[in-house]
Amino acid sequence: MTMDMDSTDDFDALDSLNNLEQTYYQQGYKDGFEHGRLHGLFEGRAIGQEKAFEIWEEVGYIEGIALFWRAVAEKQTSGQAEGGKKVSPRAQNHIQTLLNLISTFPTDNPTPVPDNSSVQPDASMNAETESLKPQDEPDLAVLLERIRARYKLLCSSLGFRPRLAVASRPEDTGPDLLPRETSGVEAGVVMGAEGSGVAKGMVDGVDTRMLRF
Amino acid sequence: MDDDWLEEGPSVPAGGAGDPMVDQNWERITTKYADVGYREGISEGKLSSLQEGFDQSFKTSVPPVRRLGRLRGAAAALLAYTTGSKTKSTSTLPDEVLVEKVRVLISDLGRIKPSDILPIDQEALDHAKEHVGDEHEDLPREKKELDDLVDAFDVMAGQKVDGVDVAGERVQREDELLSLLEQRFDVLQRSAGL
């Protein structure tokens, strides 16, 4: 659009055009934001399901093993079950430790309201993700590793081979949706310190690379 | 820009109503800025709620997933238990039959997909339906389609978990499905004398 800059009328015209831009931009932004918010919810939920499955299927599996053998041990102690492997005191110790560890494993992910000013168009996606990381990141991955290690100990004390490829099911959508970190969980749910009883952690498991807008 | 135009109609403010240029470009400008705003708004709106959605569904997904995990673990342990020793005086089934049943259960459990036990996001589906053909709308449909495909193959291969009708639609899902599987496990566990 060309304008004669010499005329004051035209400056007014520019002003009103600027306002026009602003008005329509803002209206568009508002509509887009509302729509985007829905998509964020839907996608967040889908990712939440995925992460929950990825993590808790494994933890649940190990828990199921531990509960089963604890029941066997109890029956054996009371003389109600003769068959099967004897559950040694060492194995029973592993079982108890495992169940304790699992009972501290986060099932919830309360996110303190992040002050990421969502109405700041310049905030880059990465910066967004970074800002969601708590400083004292108490490690979910570490806890999971401890559970796995203990699980392997239990298996060897019972004389069984641990489950292989724990998280490789066809539904796993491949590396694209998974965090790049080594453990595969680090970028998932990061929870608050368990001992404190307050899970104050956060998740940055939302992979912003998935965003298509 | 031609000067005549300005001189001819000084009473009509440039850029105001009646300015032919504005009429001409009105639509183009408004659409353009509204579009830019919409685009940026949708990105920001999305980022504003991703975490909330994640937290919501993580919390509600854990219990059913945990149940499935426990079942898988327990079934694997039951198999190890039943194959681990010959002396099962308390077993109520012949060893081979019991072991076979446990194997079948494990196999069935292995075919349970996340979408079988996790709640359907009806809101998301409804929203997707509202916006069919909308270029902005690309909800994670592929996943559902993949699951359907897997189901179709299972049906063709004659391998479906109990509770599937002829059309290949799983009759039970979520709580009902998990309960069914838990019952099967309990029966086998009792059969093993536990």
Side-chain angles (χ1 to χ4, degrees), chain B residues 146-168:
Chain B
L146 186 68
D147 276 359
D148 288 347
L149 198 64
V150 171
D151 278 347
F153 278 125
D154 279 350
V155 170
M156 277 190 278
Q159 297 178 321
K160 278 306 272 186
V161 179
D162 287 357
V164 168
D165 71 13
V166 265

Side-chain angles (χ1 to χ4, degrees), chain A residues 2 25 28-29 32-33 35-37 39 43 45 49-50 57 61 63 83 109 111 118 203 206 212-213, chain B residues 1 37-38 40-41 44 46 49-52 55-57 66 69-70 72 87 119 121 127 136-137 143:
Chain A
T2 53
Y25 175 88
Y29 186 91
F33 193 90
H35 190 186
R37 205 184 136 65
H39 277 260
E43 280 195 24
R45 285 178 193 156
Q49 286 196 338
E50 211 169 279
E57 195 275 342
Y61 182 91
E63 186 182 35
N109 188 61
T111 305
S118 46
V203 164
V206 171
R212 301 194 185 92
F213 291 108
Chain B
M1 181 60 57
Y38 193 86
E40 290 180 17
E44 294 299 321
K46 205 164 178 177
S49 60
L50 265 174
Q51 188 70 58
E52 183 185 333
D55 292 353
Q56 273 178 10
S57 83
R66 189 178 191 172
R70 274 183 183 169
R72 284 178 170 171
T87 58
D121 192 343
H127 181 80
H136 288 308
E137 306 298 318
K143 205 154 190 176

Side-chain angles (χ1 to χ4, degrees), chain B residues 61-76:
Chain B
S61 299
V62 166
V65 169
R66 189 178 191 172
R67 276 172 80 186
L68 177 67
R70 274 183 183 169
L71 259 177
R72 284 178 170 171

Side-chain angles (χ1 to χ4, degrees), chain B residues 125-144:
Chain B
L125 290 184
D126 291 347
H127 181 80
K129 269 179 212 149
E130 272 176 42
H131 291 265
V132 172
D134 190 331
E135 60 164 320
H136 288 308
E137 306 298 318
D138 48 2
L139 280 172
R141 300 289 303 164
E142 313 90 27
K143 205 154 190 176
K144 171 82 175 86

Side-chain angles (χ1 to χ4, degrees), chain A residues 16-159:
Chain A
S16 76
L17 261 178
N18 278 333
N19 285 334
L20 190 73
E21 293 167 5
Q22 271 306 102
T23 308
Y24 280 88
Y25 175 88
Q26 276 161 3
Q27 186 54 47
Y29 186 91
K30 192 167 157 287
D31 293 346
F33 193 90
E34 277 165 27
H35 190 186
R37 205 184 136 65
L38 285 177
H39 277 260
L41 273 182
F42 302 153
E43 280 195 24
R45 285 178 193 156
I47 300 168
Q49 286 196 338
E50 211 169 279
K51 274 287 162 193
F53 196 90
E54 184 183 314
I55 296 168
W56 267 99
E57 195 275 342
E58 179 179 1
V59 177
Y61 182 91
I62 295 171
E63 186 182 35
I65 299 252
L67 288 171
F68 180 88
W69 287 107
R70 186 175 72 176
V72 170
E74 280 164 6
K75 294 257 180 184
Q76 284 175 346
T77 309
S78 62
Q80 292 171 49
E82 299 297 322
K85 289 264 178 202
K86 269 277 174 254
V87 184
S88 66
R90 176 188 292 270
Q92 291 185 44
N93 182 37
H94 290 322
I95 288 170
Q96 200 46 54
T97 309
L98 260 182
L99 292 176
N100 289 343
L101 281 172
I102 291 171
S103 72
T104 68
F105 204 83
T107 59
D108 194 359
N109 188 61
T111 305
V113 178
D115 58 346
N116 54 333
S117 48
S118 46
V119 204
Q120 196 165 17
D122 286 334
S124 88
M125 287 179 177
N126 278 338
E128 191 93 6
T129 312
E130 286 307 308
S131 75
L132 288 176
K133 276 189 184 167
Q135 295 305 314
D136 54 339
E137 203 168 291
D139 242 318
L140 186 80
V142 167
L143 188 50
L144 188 55
E145 277 311 318
R146 284 173 67 195
I147 291 174
R148 284 175 177 154
R150 186 62 68 159
Y151 162 61
K152 282 175 192 150
L153 287 175
L154 173 64
C155 285
S156 72
S157 73
L158 287 169

